[in-house]
Amino acid sequence: MNEKLQKDLTNFESLLEAVKLQGLDFLATLSARNTSTKALHQEPETLKIAGLGAFETLKLFNEKFEELIIASTGPRYWGFVTGGSTPAAIMGDWLSTIYDQNTQSVKGQGDISAAIEIETIKLLLNLFELPGDYIGGFVTGATMSNFTSLAVARQWIGKQTGKDFAKDGVSEKINILSALPHSSIIKSLAMLGLGSNNFRRVKVEEGNRESIDINDLETKIKELHGQPFILITSAGTVNTVDFDDMQAVSNLKEKYNFWWHIDAAFGAFAKCSPKHKYLLNGWEQADSITVDCHKWLNVPYESAVFFIREKYKVLQVETFQNSNAPYLGNPMENFNYLNFLPENSRRLKALPVWFALIAYGREGIQDIVENSIEMANHLGKFVESSEAFELLAPVRLNNVCFTLGGEENQSKVVVFLKNLNDTGKVFMIPTVYNGKNGIRASFVNWRTTKQDIEIVTSEMVNQISRIKENA
Ligand SMILES: *Cc1c(COP(=O)(O)O)cnc(C)c1O
């Protein structure tokens, strides 16, 4: 064995102890840490003949990077829809690294990891009150979940006219309808060879909404004259967290022949709030659903699931099977994840989620979700009550989409946000909504408290004074 490796093996315990203490220190000071950094990458290392060994490597890492690691897992990182990590989720994640399983087969090689994944999928279906006849699996994020779901939808479309797109390639334009798909859906259409331009945009409802206009949807469906199509709906848009009317779509499902996909990356967790769960009424009729776990469930990146109806198992296998590897057995008889999703080798991504669900239960997840909603409303009330700010849309769930008050201040939104983010106390991201420059604050982190909102609102007021002074 290499000498450095041998030494690290001997000192394994103190190495892991050092990382544990460093991690605890990071988490203990999380709230005080900057939410962004302006630092640029320093002098890159060159690969040496002799390595440093793990302990010296940790030292070097700390000198170069540790201080620059931002508090994206902390309570005031409101950009994108970025969750944190609960203690149980971190435990599961660490163990998943240590066990280093290659999560594939349920039976055959005698490894239990895929069974843990399936058990975790059942727990999630239960959490979301979805029926049991979905096949689910873990992928890196909602982007890959959308990709996986739409890949099976593509195969389904082909089968409607006796074609096998997985084998023979996509030979025709596929009909796709959507109102405001997430950027990752557009990206998936490009990756799948369906074409990112190739979807018909359905109108959104009137009255400052981002949800699909059901009448316009039905008009566009009729224009297809019975051809099969894919309908991509949103359970939570990222600007204003608007939901397509799931019940209305499920009614259409009885009349027309289409594949119904729901991107519920974070909106799925509305199911955990008794007050908001109605937003998902009817979603249990969907053919495929995307959910992120690294957002509102607060498990570490990379963690998302897809749910695809079990009756499409054959289509799913046709799309993802490793068909020239006879040693893998018949994919229809021996369930193996590598024939059901894009990746072949995979870590045990389910373990952090299993830990989180068992440790905190339905009630714990509900508390996280309701706290986020409360925090969003708290910030929303501040925005509404302040002359300097203006809501661009009502706070529908866990996002606040706002701007500076007054048309004349539109040109200052970007500078305001940049200065605010530069304080390092909060991170939000810019958006454009209804033709206006806006700002988005997204609440999913389990740590966020009212005190955090107050830290941010007082900083917002400071930045407004700065703008006035400079005017
Ligand atoms: C975040 C998000 C995605 C993309 O998710 P990743 O986990 O970043 O791949 C897709 N759809 C919606 C609605 C999202 O909020």
Side-chain angles (χ1 to χ4, degrees):
M1 191 184 281
N2 170 276
E3 179 209 341
K4 294 279 162 42
L5 262 173
Q6 180 66 60
K7 204 171 145 215
D8 282 354
L9 179 58
T10 311
N11 295 329
F12 222 152
E13 187 177 344
S14 51
L15 291 172
L16 290 188
E17 186 66 17
V19 168
K20 181 189 88 178
L21 293 177
Q22 180 165 328
L24 286 172
D25 186 56
F26 174 83
L27 293 173
T29 55
L30 190 56
S31 193
R33 241 178 216 254
N34 281 342
T35 47
S36 62
T37 176
K38 281 186 175 164
L40 298 174
H41 193 246
Q42 309 172 12
E43 196 64 10
E45 298 304 311
T46 52
L47 186 64
K48 308 285 190 322
I49 302 278
L52 295 179
F55 201 76
E56 289 301 313
T57 300
L58 180 65
K59 248 173 82 181
L60 179 69
F61 169 82
N62 286 344
E63 282 161 23
K64 289 185 67 142
F65 299 120
E66 207 280 335
E67 267 187 26
L68 308 175
I69 301 289
I70 60 158
S72 52
T73 190
R76 277 173 274 105
Y77 194 93
W78 304 342
F80 311 100
V81 191
T82 305
S85 301
T86 56
I90 292 177
M91 289 164 74
D93 198 64
W94 281 16
L95 287 178
S96 154
T97 295
I98 287 169
Y99 293 149
D100 194 22
Q101 305 288 292
N102 187 1
T103 304
Q104 297 184 349
S105 174
V106 171
K107 49 178 189 174
Q109 260 73 43
D111 132 46
I112 194 74
S113 58
I116 295 175
E117 180 160 343
I118 287 172
E119 179 175 323
T120 310
I121 291 292
K122 292 216 170 94
L123 291 170
L124 284 169
L125 287 172
N126 203 267
L127 179 73
F128 297 131
E129 297 170 31
L130 283 167
D133 65 333
Y134 282 103
I135 290 179
F138 276 79
V139 286
T140 48
T143 304
M144 281 314 291
S145 174
N146 283 329
F147 173 90
T148 306
S149 301
L150 294 173
V152 183
R154 179 184 68 178
Q155 187 69 356
W156 176 85
I157 288 273
K159 283 298 162 85
Q160 302 309 298
T161 51
K163 302 193 179 77
D164 186 337
F165 290 155
K167 274 213 172 79
D168 302 323
V170 181
S171 51
E172 62 208 53
K173 193 168 177 288
I174 290 179
N175 298 306
I176 301 167
L177 299 179
S178 193
L180 277 181
H182 186 264
S183 61
S184 65
I185 295 270
I186 312 283
K187 176 171 168 172
S188 297
L189 295 180
M191 291 195 288
L192 287 162
L194 299 179
S196 54
N197 274 336
N198 181 27
F199 73 93
R200 291 201 68 193
R201 213 178 260 285
V202 182
K203 285 185 195 153
V204 293
E205 281 182 278
E206 282 183 12
N208 199 8
R209 297 293 301 271
E210 289 191 303
S211 51
I212 201 163
D213 178 328
I214 293 291
N215 290 329
D216 189 50
L217 172 61
E218 192 155 11
T219 303
K220 294 207 160 69
I221 293 176
K222 284 182 178 149
E223 285 166 14
L224 294 173
H225 302 292
Q227 294 173 68
F229 65 98
I230 300 171
L231 175 67
I232 302 169
T233 59
S234 299
T237 54
V238 286
N239 266 335
T240 71
V241 196
D242 213 344
F243 283 63
D244 292 337
D245 184 339
M246 301 295 154
Q247 192 59 62
V249 173
S250 86
N251 295 342
L252 290 175
K253 195 107 169 80
E254 285 168 18
K255 281 164 76 178
Y256 304 101
N257 184 31
F258 62 97
W259 180 285
W260 179 17
H261 176 67
I262 305 176
D263 181 352
F266 63 95
F269 289 86
K271 259 288 177 203
C272 305
S273 156
K275 195 172 153 199
H276 296 92
K277 67 198 299 184
Y278 76 93
L279 291 165
L280 294 163
N281 284 353
W283 77 325
E284 64 283 352
Q285 300 301 326
D287 297 298
S288 55
I289 301 176
T290 285
V291 182
D292 250 330
C293 298
H294 54 219
K295 287 176 178 164
W296 225 342
L297 191 58
N298 284 268
V299 305
Y301 289 110
E302 308 161 340
S303 183
V305 292
F306 59 79
F307 301 125
I308 299 173
R309 281 239 120 85
E310 200 168 4
K311 63 180 173 186
Y312 303 123
K313 190 173 171 180
V314 173
L315 303 178
Q316 197 169 346
V317 169
E318 283 171 354
T319 307
F320 293 111
Q321 71 183 318
N322 290 260
S323 53
N324 60 347
Y327 56 91
L328 294 171
N330 179 345
M332 294 309 294
E333 283 163 17
N334 297 329
F335 181 89
N336 190 327
Y337 267 116
L338 58 69
N339 289 317
F340 283 83
L341 41 70
E343 295 94 351
N344 282 352
S345 300
R346 321 158 58 230
R347 66 192 265 111
L348 181 44
K349 284 195 173 65
L351 203 52
V353 174
W354 189 90
F355 264 71
L357 292 175
I358 301 292
Y360 306 121
R362 193 179 284 283
E363 204 175 72
I365 312 304
Q366 178 175 336
D367 285 346
I368 292 177
V369 167
E370 290 190 329
N371 180 63
S372 301
I373 297 171
E374 194 189 332
M375 293 306 110
N377 279 291
H378 201 48
L379 179 68
K381 285 204 183 84
F382 164 81
V383 167
E384 244 177 340
S385 66
S386 161
E387 293 231 317
F389 302 102
E390 179 191 321
L391 279 182
L392 285 174
V395 177
R396 298 197 172 100
L397 197 67
N398 60 327
N399 262 41
V400 184
C401 188
F402 68 101
T403 189
L404 300 183
E407 212 49 56
E408 71 283 4
N409 288 320
Q410 268 293 299
S411 59
K412 296 174 190 154
V413 174
V414 172
V415 173
F416 167 83
L417 179 60
K418 186 184 169 300
N419 291 341
L420 182 64
N421 284 343
D422 277 351
T423 65
K425 289 187 179 160
V426 65
F427 189 77
M428 302 189 229
I429 59 169
T431 188
V432 174
Y433 181 71
N434 278 345
K436 280 188 160 182
N437 290 321
I439 298 171
R440 254 182 53 201
S442 214
F443 294 88
V444 282
N445 191 292
W446 63 288
R447 291 174 182 267
T448 311
T449 63
K450 278 197 173 167
Q451 208 186 343
D452 290 303
I453 311 290
E454 270 137 38
I455 291 172
V456 176
T457 52
S458 83
E459 217 30 86
M460 285 165 71
V461 170
N462 287 344
Q463 293 306 325
I464 288 291
S465 320
R466 251 181 87 181
I467 286 186
K468 284 196 179 136
E469 280 161 26
N470 292 340

